[in-house]
Amino acid sequence: RPHSRGITVTSPQPALAGWTISLDLWGTLITHGDRQAASAWRITEFGRVLEAYGHHPSPERLSESVRRARASAAHQQRTTGAQPSVEDQVAVVLEDLGINPGAEGLMKLLATVHTHATLRACPQPMPGALAALDTIKDAGARVVLTSNTLATPSDIHRRLLDSLGLLTVFDDMLFSGDLGVAKPRPEVFAAVAERAGSPFDRVIHVGDDPIADVDGALGAGCHAVHYNPHRESARRAVPDFADHAELPALLVSLCSAPAADLISRSASHD
């Protein structure tokens, strides 16, 4: 009964009420899938487009140009938060091949191939990820997806998330391609907090990358949890987990800790 002898009895507040839980996507919530299949499809389709425009690079040369361009873009993004556009990434490949990108329609066709290749990898949710997300939401948290993107823009990501049953899980979704900057830049985590209406110290970011996810979140003044399935390269004093079944209880424990303890955890990263 809600009232007894003039005393109001209230239900306990959900354990994660008032907290924003931000989560990385690739390598944290979903697998990368068959990267070789995605790469092979991209090279085959790039070759067909270029052949239609009178260019005939060997598959080996085309594959190496794409590999170098993707590796360079990923390294710059992970270390500096730079966010190259899809067109810029394709232009780097064409420049490496000595091909003028000015031919009508060429860039658009190659960009379409580039942005759709990831779907051929058929990524899947990490074991236990969906159940963990449901439990976190049931505990009262605002659940936000915070993902870096390179070749795959946000509209393709949303299509993928829908196919995996993840699209409706999140209260908000932030993609670096839309923001114009990427993790580990503090602007990304500032956007998470601002859009949630949360102070930084009520945001916990969960991810697998020690630089982009852990250092990025801590450097912005948020808290971090490291998805560390192999228990390798752990950051000192940063909580980690190896199984998604562990995550909801870990978050509840962290959010129930005294504020001073949480602050000390965030301030002590290397």
Side-chain angles (χ1 to χ4, degrees):
R1 294 174 58 187
H3 297 281
S4 178
R5 297 185 180 180
I7 299 175
T8 301
V9 179
T10 58
S11 299
Q13 191 176 39
L16 297 179
W19 287 87
T20 295
I21 308 301
S22 164
L23 299 108
D24 171 57
L25 180 62
W26 296 95
T28 299
L29 293 179
I30 66 174
T31 68
H32 290 280
D34 188 342
R35 285 171 154 172
Q36 289 187 343
S39 177
W41 184 87
R42 178 184 282 112
I43 299 306
T44 297
E45 296 305 312
F46 269 12
R48 288 176 179 173
V49 171
L50 292 174
E51 184 175 345
Y53 278 80
H55 305 290
H56 305 279
S58 69
E60 293 77 16
R61 186 182 178 199
L62 178 55
S63 178
E64 181 59 20
S65 293
V66 171
R67 186 198 66 76
R68 282 199 299 264
R70 286 178 57 75
S72 176
H75 176 74
Q76 290 182 32
Q77 183 186 69
R78 182 174 184 258
T79 56
T80 72
Q83 181 59 45
S85 69
V86 171
E87 290 75 17
D88 287 344
Q89 295 170 57
V90 173
V92 169
V93 174
L94 294 178
E95 181 180 2
D96 190 57
L97 294 171
I99 296 173
N100 188 330
E104 183 178 357
L106 175 60
M107 183 65 75
K108 182 177 181 180
L109 286 171
L110 291 175
T112 298
V113 171
H114 198 46
T115 57
H116 285 69
T118 294
L119 298 178
R120 271 67 188 179
C122 299
Q124 295 296 314
M126 291 286 190
L130 283 166
L133 288 171
D134 286 342
T135 302
I136 294 166
K137 280 186 71 77
D138 289 345
R142 175 181 174 87
V143 179
V144 177
L145 179 69
T146 308
S147 178
N148 280 357
T149 68
L150 273 174
T152 312
S154 59
D155 60 325
I156 304 300
H157 270 94
R158 287 185 171 88
R159 184 189 307 179
L160 173 62
L161 291 166
D162 189 32
S163 72
L164 297 177
L166 284 166
L167 187 63
T168 60
V169 171
F170 302 102
D171 298 297
D172 195 7
M173 292 185 288
L174 292 84
F175 298 99
S176 62
D178 295 337
L179 295 173
V181 292
K183 299 176 294 183
R185 288 276 289 273
E187 296 95 319
V188 175
F189 301 97
V192 172
E194 180 180 356
R195 287 165 58 156
S198 296
F200 288 93
D201 63 1
R202 300 289 284 186
V203 175
I204 299 178
H205 179 71
V206 181
D208 68 306
D209 191 307
I211 296 174
D213 293 311
V214 175
D215 290 349
L218 296 177
C222 302
H223 307 293
V225 170
H226 185 199
Y227 174 49
N228 190 12
H230 304 296
R231 299 293 190 190
E232 297 173 349
S233 303
R235 289 288 193 266
R236 183 169 58 87
V238 174
D240 67 353
F241 67 103
D243 186 323
H244 284 76
E246 305 169 15
L247 180 58
L250 175 59
L251 291 171
V252 169
S253 174
L254 290 172
C255 295
S256 302
D261 184 42
L262 272 174
I263 291 170
S264 66
R265 290 171 187 258
S266 298
S268 59
H269 72 287
D270 295 324

